Structure formats: structure tokens, C-alpha cells
Amino acid sequence: MAMLSLSSATHPRYLTCGTTKLSKLIIADSCKYGRRVTRSLGRMDMERSLVFGEVAKNMIKGSCHNLRVGVLAASTIPVIETVEKLSTYLFRTEKGGHVKVITRLKDDKYGVDVEVSYLQLSGNDGDVVMSWGIFRSDSSSLMSLRSNDSGILETPFVNKSLNKLSVELEFDASLAPFYISFLLKSQLSGEKIEIRSHRNTNFCFPVGIRSGYPAPLGLSYTADGFINFALFSRNAKSVVLCLFDDSSKEEPALEIDLDPYINRSGDIWHASMDSAMNFVSYGYRCRNGAQDKSQVKRVSLDPYAKVIGENFLGKICTEPAFDWSGDVHPRLSMEKLMVYRLNVMDFTKDTSSNLPNEIGGTFLGVSEKLHHFKDLGVNAILLEPIVPFDKQVGPYFPFHFFSLHDSFGPPGGSMPTIKSMKEMVKRLHADGIEILLEVVLTHTSQNASLTKIDNSSYYFVKEGDDLATKCTLNCAHPVVQQLILDSLRHWVIEYHIDGFCFINASSMLRGFNGENLSRPPLIEAIAFDPILSKTKLIADSFDPFHKSAKEIQFPHWKRWAEMNTNFCKDARNYLRGESLLSNLATRLCGSGDIFLNGRGPAFSFNFVTRNHGFSLVDLVSFNNTRELSWNCGEEGATKKKSVLETRLKQIRNFIFILYISLGVPVLTMGDECGRSSGGLLEQGDRKPFNWKALQTGFGIQTTQFVSFLSALKIRRSDLLQSREFLKVENIDWHGPNLSPPDWEDPTSRFLAMRLKVDEDDENQLKGDVFVAINGGDEPVMAAVPLPGSKMAWVRLVDTALQYPRFFSTAGDRVPEKIPGSPVYDMGPHSCVLLEARSIDD
């Protein structure tokens, strides 16, 4: 709707009108709503006529807090709203004149001025009468007057000036909010006529509630003390704003039917009310053409609500203030990241965390384990979805995008949860750790409010009963794109989030007909959004519906990184003996097949396990074709020493390959302490993190190994944390005898590479790095190239050795059995890392 100034309010070209088709206007003596009964509204003196200068004081007294105001149709253009809480509405009549209505609140009284001007009548304008009434109703019926069933009052206009007539009314503020509907009566050529709007409908306007503003969406507070509600729904035939004075109750205290002319601008339904009104939560009932009002019983959550209260209603409040002073985003460069993926609840809810019950499984619990992140060398944590989700299907099926899941906070509801989340972010930032969020913005759970508010706009509407068909968001639709962008901005602005991992990101590429777009507007908008421009953006192709990853060329604009599913697949296949050496080499060097065009290895987020599917222990304990796993000789639990030794080496090998490869290593919670689901794959089969397992032999050595590799990656960042791909001349590939590898031989299981320092760069650390991987069942005597002048090879890692010898910072010098021809004996299923160091060291 256009906003008009008073100076332009009388110009006919700005005028519009309303529609209300009713035969009577009714006010009841009392209203029973649910279990609550209002006070009597009092008896109206229907014999009393209102004349100019006399106001309708004390007409109606009482409370309306569980009444429903029926806004049955109208049209208006709000003009100005002053500090006196003034609202102006303009209408055009069917006779060519126009009507201006001004409502104001002052001294606990609502004053209403109705002015009619330039009414084209051949009779006496002084005979014009305003026939009016007030509408209230509950969800199923209208209320009646005690003294007059019609509920209609007729008040004569008086001449205010030439061609202008006016009426003044006044109401007690406790009566609001309500709507007044009226028409004009006069005589023309001796015949009584009724004058309506140019739409041939009654005039209708609100008192105590304003038309509101279409932006911003959701709940917001205006400078003059009003609360604004705004909701998108293109296809709703009617929208009811439901207000609750007790959020624990299932039925609202007050319902307001939003008028499609007064309270709608384009596809946005909106209204505003005085913030002093005693309501604590809100929601909406939306009706489309196929539904009857009586069938729309469910109150839907506002998609833009920032705080959720009981019964999944939006709370009427602002987010709690938080002192962000001193908080600084770490702003780590991509190639420096080392990520730890975790589930907030599972991370500390087990009693082994030794945290109080009110902290275990919460954001504060994550903060209390800061030392564990430091022990691992982690500088970024990736949180599984933290928004409200359907518990039956898991965190990857959200029903809201702007609020936190209360279970992740201490007792007390949304406010303590919000505060604890922000405290966690601030504390981790202070230690140089970034916070990344997994977000699911391509689909919702079946019970999401978007399905009730406007299913055909928000979702792909297709025939089918499967969950994917019903719940997939139409990311090509502008309103869905706005929802996603607003949500991401909210997390950055309000929670200081450093980046996002977009689950099922391939679905964000689809157009209106489900086709993949080469230049999807949503992906481009996120990449160039001014608020999101400094955050990490990571596309994850994992599809929660089918529990698999999709392979697709993702458009990136040199901004989008990706969860490298190919890295996971090729690492698993190689270590189980079913991959070409060339595939492994590609992953070790930063996956140039994916990231060479305009990006670099820093955009590759490498992982071997994730928070669904097999854990690292399960990966080496069970055979599963879908998981690309190998049980190392025996299925499940075993006491066979040879099998256990192979499994332990394979776990070390996976971790080694993860950290030695160019790209960002992503370690999954629990892999460092042997977390297992017993080979089961469902969401509910996952067990919480067992902190006692860190004190086992496996937990101690694995945690120390991860810490060692993290430190090595930082120390040799010249070769292992490069933002750019290494030059071809800086990598030498070898077979076991220094000949070229058998790239295309599927039976070849040995691969070695020498990473050479750039001698032209004086700032680079000196000393090449030699990596050898034996994925076969037999030992290999691997020839090692000469380390260089006045240099010697030092062994830093050999995963075949016993703890604690299998890794060392100081290293052991590799002896030359034959002078000038160093060799190294490698055990089966093992990895070795040598570093060239000066003989003088």
C-alpha cells in the first residue's frame, strides 16, 4: 500500500475503498471463548441520538481479551501516524465524494473523526446519516446486543464547512481493538438511498489496531510503541492473527481477521497494535479456497518468529540483549581451517562428561569442553542443525529457520537458550575457534507451518506420498529465497556465526520445474550478499531423504566451498582395495578435478566419516556396500589379534590421509575415541559421546595422533595448507622402486609422493616431505629418493608401528642400508611420512 501525507490525502487519485457485505452489526452482552467468559459489555442506549458535538462516551464498556474481531472486508491507505498514535484512512464513495477517517488515542480514549467531503447529492447534505456498528465475534458466531438485536446506530452528520460533513465518536481504550463498519444514508429526489464505497461495499476501519506495515516480515517494534505483524501468504483467502495472553493455553484470547484491503499489501498480510496490550504469544490461522473457516483450527507458527514459546507459538518480545563487546570473529583463512563436526546434545549429555544436568547436552556444555578442541588442534566446530526439527525423523528435517531448539539450552525455555548459544560463540571466538552451522534450507518436516500458510508458494507441488515430494522447498521462488537470505543474515547478525554448511545443496540449484540451473539466483545471491560475504559458504550434496550424496558441478563464483564426497569415497575405496592409485593421488593433491577451475584446494572440505552412516570404528569393523567399508577379515566384534591390529592401522591410515591431503580436514565427533553404533545406520542408533573412552588406550593414542597431525599441518603449511595447488614441478610420484606408479593397474596398492619445497622462496621452510602409502596385504621395501645436499630423512609417521612410536615430532633418522640409496621397510596396510632435515639439526 502507498503511504500518503495529509497534504495529499484529499486528492481523488489517491483514494480507494473497502468492502463489507453485512446485513447487521452486532455487539454481545458477553462472550464465552473456550473456558473464559468476558465481562458484560453493558447496555447501549439505543434511543439516544448522536448529534454534532456530542460524543458516544461510555457507549460500551468492558474487556475484549477473549473476543475475536471480525474484519470482514475493507480498503484503506494509511496516511500518517504521529506520536499521538494517529491513523488516517481514505475511501472513495460511489457518488464521487470521499470519506476520511481519523482515529487517535489520547488519555485512554479512542477518538474517531469521520469526514465526508464533495458528496454529489442534489438534496440537502445535512440529511446525511452515518449508519454504523462494531464487529466482534469468536471463531464461529457473531455477538448480539442486549438491547437491540440489529446492533446498528445511526448518527447524523453536521456541516463542518463548505462541502464537508463530520461525525465525532469516542470510545474507552479498554474496548479496543475492534472494527467499525458503516455506510451513509441520505435522500435523493425524495427517495432514501444508501451510499457505499465505489466498490459498492460498506466502509470499514480498525480502532485500536492499525493496518501495519508489510516489512519487515515477522514481528517487529515501531518507534512509536506499536508491534507490527507481517506474514507472506499469496494464496490464503483469509488470515487470522491469533493472540494469546497465556502461552500455555491452546485457544487464543483474541483473534483478528485481517482484512484483505486494510491489512494486505500485495501478498503480505500485516497489522500492528499497541505494545502495551497484554499479549505474550501469537500465531496465524490461514484459510485457502478449499477450506472452511471452521476447519482451520490449527494455529501456525510465524515462519519469521525469532523466539518460540510454548505450544510452538511466536513469543511477543524482542530477543534478549547480549553484551557482544570484545567479541572478534577469528576470520581464519580457508586453508588454515581444521574442523570438528559435532551434535550439541550428543556431545556432552552423557554422564561421563561430568557436567551438571542443566549444562550437559547444551551449548554451555560445548563451551565447557573447549580444552578438548585445543587438545585436537581444532580451530572450527561445525554444528549439526540447531533449529527446531521433527524428532521422529531427526535434525535434518527442520520446521523453523530463525529460532533455536530449546533442548540445546538450559531449563527455562527460549531466552536462556538464546543467551547460552551466544555465550558459547563468544567464548570460543575468544580462543580463536570459529562456529560453522549446518543448515537445511531445501526442505522441511511435514508439520512445518509453511505448509499451512502457503503450500503452493513455498513448496514444489507434485503428486506423491513420499516425504521428499511433500516437503521440498521451491528455492527458485522469490519468497523462499528471501526467507533463506533473511535466515542466514539473522544468524550472522544476532549470533555472530562464521559460516554455513548447506545440506542437500544440490536442491538449491533447481528451477521452478525442478530442472538444474547453470546460474541459480539463490546461490549467486548468497555468494554476493553484503552481510554473508565474509562468512564461509560450504555446499554439502548429502540428501537426507535418500541418505546419499549427489554428484553435481556446483556453481561457486569463487565463494562456495564444498564437502568433498569424492574424497570420502576414494579414500574408503583405496583402503579397502577397490580404487585406482590415480583417484587417491587426486585427493591427496587437493581434488583438482573439482576445484581447479577458479578455486583451489582450500575450498575442499575433506572427510572420511560424517554424523550419519558408519563411524570410523564401524568403517573398519563391518562390510557394507553402501558405506564402502571393509571389516578387515571378520564381521563385527572380534578377539583376533591380527584383525584388531589391521583395524587399528586402518583407522590411523584414514586419519593420516585426511590430514596429509591438501584441503580442510573435517573430523567427526567420537572418531577420536572409538564411538560406534554397532554397524547400524539409523539416526536413533547413534550413541552420545563417551568421555571415559578418551582415557582408554585407543582414545589416548588417537587423540594424540590427531593433535600431532594438526600441528604438523600448521608447521608445514607451505606444503600441507596451500591456498593454491602445488606446482607440477613440486610433486614427484613414485612406485615402490622410484619408478612411475602403475596409475591404471587396479591391483597396484602402493603410492608414494615427494612434496618439494620451492627453493626460490626464501621464506619457505626447507626440507622436502616424502609420503608413502601401502594399501596392500604384503610388506613393501620402498625405495626413497635422496633427501638433498646435507639433508637426511627423518621418520615422523609409520602407522604400522606400536604406540607411542608410530608418530613422533622429533622423529627417527632413516638409516641408509646402501649408501646413496635409502630404503624403508613398510608393513602391510600402513602409511609413512618422512621429512628431510639438515644433518646439523
Side-chain angles (χ1 to χ4, degrees):
M1 293 183 184
M3 299 296 295
L4 304 181
S5 64
L6 281 178
S7 61
S8 63
T10 58
H11 199 288
R13 67 190 179 94
Y14 290 105
L15 303 181
T16 184
C17 70
T19 61
T20 304
K21 297 181 180 180
L22 296 171
S23 60
K24 60 182 181 180
L25 306 172
I26 301 172
I27 305 176
D29 298 278
S30 64
C31 171
K32 180 181 292 185
Y33 198 96
R35 298 180 179 178
R36 180 177 177 184
V37 180
T38 63
R39 296 175 294 168
S40 172
L41 296 176
R43 184 178 298 276
M44 295 179 59
D45 186 357
M46 300 303 297
E47 304 297 328
R48 179 179 180 185
S49 298
L50 295 178
V51 297
F52 180 69
E54 182 179 4
V55 297
K57 295 181 178 179
N58 302 319
M59 282 177 48
I60 307 171
K61 296 181 179 179
S63 173
C64 65
H65 272 191
N66 46 347
L67 302 177
R68 180 183 179 198
V69 179
V71 185
L72 297 180
S75 176
T76 184
I77 298 180
V79 181
I80 62 169
E81 297 180 353
T82 71
V83 293
E84 295 180 347
K85 299 181 179 179
L86 178 74
S87 296
T88 301
Y89 304 93
L90 299 175
F91 305 89
R92 190 168 76 240
T93 77
E94 60 187 351
K95 296 297 182 180
H98 46 83
V99 177
K100 179 168 70 175
V101 177
I102 299 175
T103 66
R104 60 173 60 86
L105 175 62
K106 190 174 183 180
D107 299 329
D108 294 326
K109 300 289 183 182
Y110 275 106
V112 177
D113 299 337
V114 181
E115 182 181 278
V116 180
S117 56
Y118 300 102
L119 193 63
Q120 299 177 7
L121 297 174
S122 57
N124 186 355
D125 286 348
D127 295 335
V128 179
V129 174
M130 174 179 171
S131 179
W132 62 279
I134 298 174
F135 286 90
R136 284 199 183 92
S137 68
D138 59 27
S139 60
S140 61
S141 63
L142 297 173
M143 298 180 295
S144 61
L145 282 169
R146 178 187 299 176
S147 57
N148 189 315
D149 287 339
S150 69
I152 298 175
L153 298 174
E154 292 191 351
T155 304
F157 283 88
V158 298
N159 289 311
K160 183 176 181 180
S161 62
L162 183 63
N163 293 324
K164 290 186 179 180
L165 307 173
S166 67
V167 164
E168 296 180 8
L169 306 174
E170 186 174 279
F171 304 90
D172 191 276
S174 63
L175 187 64
F178 57 89
Y179 278 76
I180 295 178
S181 182
F182 69 95
L183 54 81
L184 308 179
K185 289 185 177 181
S186 185
Q187 290 189 0
L188 182 60
S189 302
E191 180 181 353
K192 291 184 178 181
I193 62 170
E194 294 180 347
I195 303 172
R196 294 178 171 83
S197 72
H198 79 284
R199 295 177 183 267
N200 196 29
T201 60
N202 286 15
F203 306 97
C204 185
F205 63 92
V207 177
I209 185 168
R210 300 181 184 180
S211 61
Y213 307 98
L217 289 171
L219 181 146
S220 59
Y221 287 80
T222 62
D224 55 354
F226 271 63
I227 304 172
N228 193 73
F229 302 87
L231 175 78
F232 168 87
S233 184
R234 169 175 291 181
N235 296 296
K237 300 303 179 183
S238 69
V239 173
V240 178
L241 173 61
C242 302
L243 300 169
F244 296 76
D245 56 8
D246 184 344
S247 58
S248 64
K249 294 184 177 180
E250 294 185 0
E251 295 296 336
L254 177 66
E255 294 184 69
I256 302 174
D257 282 335
L258 301 184
D259 182 85
Y261 297 99
I262 287 180
N263 302 107
R264 185 173 184 176
S265 298
D267 297 326
I268 309 297
W269 300 75
H270 46 79
S272 62
M273 69 178 189
D274 196 322
S275 59
M277 292 186 179
N278 189 29
F279 297 108
V280 297
S281 56
Y282 73 103
Y284 297 95
R285 285 194 175 109
C286 297
R287 182 176 67 92
N288 58 42
Q291 295 172 302
D292 184 78
K293 277 190 176 183
S294 62
Q295 296 176 332
V296 186
K297 296 181 180 180
R298 176 184 171 186
V299 179
S300 297
L301 173 66
D302 179 5
Y304 273 78
K306 306 304 187 297
V307 184
I308 298 180
E310 297 179 67
N311 294 330
F312 297 110
L313 298 170
K315 294 192 72 171
I316 300 179
C317 66
T318 58
E319 291 187 76
F322 185 78
D323 182 11
W324 283 109
S325 60
D327 181 64
V328 178
H329 289 270
R331 303 292 186 204
L332 301 173
S333 57
M334 293 278 279
E335 67 273 13
K336 301 297 183 182
L337 289 178
M338 282 179 277
V339 180
Y340 185 83
R341 181 177 1 212
L342 64 87
N343 175 281
V344 172
M345 183 174 293
D346 288 349
F347 189 53
T348 61
K349 77 173 182 179
D350 191 83
T351 56
S352 62
S353 68
N354 293 324
L355 296 176
N357 291 335
E358 63 272 16
I359 295 179
T362 69
F363 296 118
L364 293 179
V366 175
S367 301
E368 291 297 319
K369 297 301 181 180
L370 175 63
H371 62 88
H372 185 60
F373 304 139
K374 306 298 284 187
D375 290 343
L376 292 170
V378 169
N379 57 19
I381 61 171
L382 174 60
L383 304 181
E384 278 189 36
I386 57 176
V387 298
F389 57 84
D390 188 336
K391 293 182 179 181
Q392 293 183 344
V393 290
Y396 293 101
F397 295 88
F399 62 80
H400 201 250
F401 298 131
F402 287 86
S403 60
L404 293 167
H405 197 299
D406 282 352
S407 297
F408 297 147
S414 299
M415 295 302 189
T417 302
I418 292 172
K419 182 180 179 182
S420 66
M421 167 71 173
K422 294 179 179 180
E423 288 176 347
M424 179 199 73
V425 172
K426 186 174 181 180
R427 184 172 177 183
L428 294 181
H429 277 180
D431 276 272
I433 296 177
E434 293 194 341
I435 313 297
L436 312 176
L437 296 185
E438 283 189 344
V439 290
V440 183
L441 301 169
T442 58
H443 58 272
T444 67
S445 63
Q446 287 184 310
N447 60 354
S449 60
L450 298 177
T451 62
K452 299 292 183 182
I453 291 171
D454 195 334
N455 187 74
S456 60
S457 291
Y458 281 109
Y459 295 90
F460 283 108
V461 180
K462 296 181 179 180
E463 295 183 359
D465 296 327
D466 63 295
L467 191 60
T469 300
K470 292 181 178 179
C471 302
T472 302
L473 289 170
N474 183 2
C475 293
H477 197 290
V479 73
V480 178
Q481 295 179 17
Q482 180 184 355
L483 177 75
I484 291 173
L485 288 168
D486 288 343
S487 171
L488 297 174
R489 294 180 192 123
H490 172 73
W491 293 110
V492 174
I493 294 171
E494 293 296 330
Y495 292 89
H496 291 202
I497 296 303
D498 301 288
F500 304 93
C501 178
F502 296 78
I503 302 298
N504 201 22
S506 58
S507 290
M508 300 171 68
L509 311 181
R510 298 198 293 181
F512 273 94
N513 298 317
E515 73 282 11
N516 282 336
L517 303 176
S518 60
R519 190 169 182 171
L522 175 59
I523 303 301
E524 185 174 9
I526 293 174
F528 292 100
D529 184 87
I531 294 177
L532 304 176
S533 61
K534 293 184 179 181
T535 65
K536 275 79 175 178
L537 304 175
I538 309 144
D540 191 339
S541 61
F542 172 71
D543 179 0
F545 292 109
H546 303 101
K547 301 187 185 305
S548 62
K550 298 178 181 178
E551 294 187 17
I552 189 169
Q553 187 174 358
F554 200 86
H556 53 80
W557 287 276
K558 299 182 180 180
R559 287 282 294 114
W560 284 84
E562 295 181 48
M563 280 290 175
N564 194 342
T565 303
N566 285 334
F567 180 95
C568 175
K569 180 182 67 176
D570 289 337
R572 291 186 180 191
N573 275 331
Y574 173 80
L575 289 180
R576 73 182 186 134
E578 297 187 15
S579 176
L580 294 175
L581 295 180
S582 56
N583 294 335
L584 178 63
T586 300
R587 306 307 155 212
L588 292 172
C589 292
S591 298
D593 57 333
I594 303 173
F595 302 101
L596 187 62
N597 185 18
R599 290 182 285 180
F603 288 83
S604 175
F605 279 62
N606 302 328
F607 66 96
V608 292
T609 64
R610 57 194 314 157
N611 43 9
H612 45 79
F614 276 0
S615 67
L616 195 52
V617 166
D618 292 338
L619 198 60
V620 299
S621 303
F622 301 92
N623 280 346
N624 186 292
T625 302
R626 196 182 86 181
E627 291 292 310
L628 305 178
S629 62
W630 175 49
N631 63 16
C632 298
E634 187 165 325
E635 189 74 1
T638 183
K639 294 182 179 180
K640 287 186 177 181
K641 184 178 179 180
S642 60
V643 174
L644 293 175
E645 288 178 349
T646 303
R647 289 178 179 179
L648 183 59
K649 287 192 294 183
Q650 288 290 79
I651 289 174
R652 295 172 180 175
N653 295 339
F654 273 120
I655 296 174
F656 177 81
I657 292 173
L658 176 65
Y659 277 85
I660 212 68
S661 300
L662 280 179
V664 177
V666 181
L667 183 69
T668 300
M669 175 189 80
D671 280 349
E672 72 272 34
C673 64
R675 186 185 187 208
S676 171
S677 62
L680 302 176
L681 296 172
E682 296 303 319
Q683 180 76 23
D685 297 324
R686 299 192 315 180
K687 297 179 181 179
F689 191 100
N690 184 354
W691 289 89
K692 291 182 179 180
L694 287 175
Q695 306 306 316
T696 64
F698 177 88
I700 291 172
Q701 64 176 279
T702 306
T703 299
Q704 291 179 359
F705 188 41
V706 171
S707 178
F708 164 81
L709 291 174
S710 298
L712 175 67
K713 201 170 182 73
I714 294 172
R715 184 172 65 82
R716 295 310 309 262
S717 60
D718 57 320
L719 298 176
L720 304 180
Q721 285 188 328
S722 175
R723 189 172 184 86
E724 305 295 334
F725 287 102
L726 298 178
K727 301 175 185 177
V728 175
E729 57 266 28
N730 289 101
I731 306 177
D732 288 338
W733 298 101
H734 303 291
N737 56 0
L738 295 185
S739 61
D742 295 326
W743 293 117
E744 302 305 322
D745 183 358
T747 64
S748 180
R749 314 308 310 146
F750 181 89
L751 179 67
M753 68 174 181
R754 179 178 185 172
L755 303 178
K756 296 185 290 186
V757 298
D758 194 339
E759 296 180 357
D760 296 333
D761 189 348
E762 295 181 357
N763 295 321
Q764 291 287 357
L765 294 172
K766 300 302 180 180
D768 296 348
V769 170
F770 180 79
V771 175
I773 303 174
N774 178 20
D777 298 325
E778 301 296 331
V780 172
M781 182 174 289
V784 180
L786 294 174
S789 177
K790 297 182 180 181
M791 305 286 281
W793 289 114
V794 174
R795 183 190 69 231
L796 301 184
V797 176
D798 184 345
T799 60
L801 300 178
Q802 296 296 314
Y803 174 79
R805 294 181 56 239
F806 77 89
F807 67 93
S808 171
T809 301
D812 296 321
R813 184 168 176 176
V814 178
E816 295 186 10
K817 296 181 179 181
I818 302 175
S821 300
V823 294
Y824 191 92
D825 292 332
M826 294 187 63
H829 305 292
S830 66
C831 298
V832 169
L833 183 142
L834 310 179
E835 183 180 30
R837 292 183 179 178
S838 172
I839 297 176
D840 298 331
D841 290 347

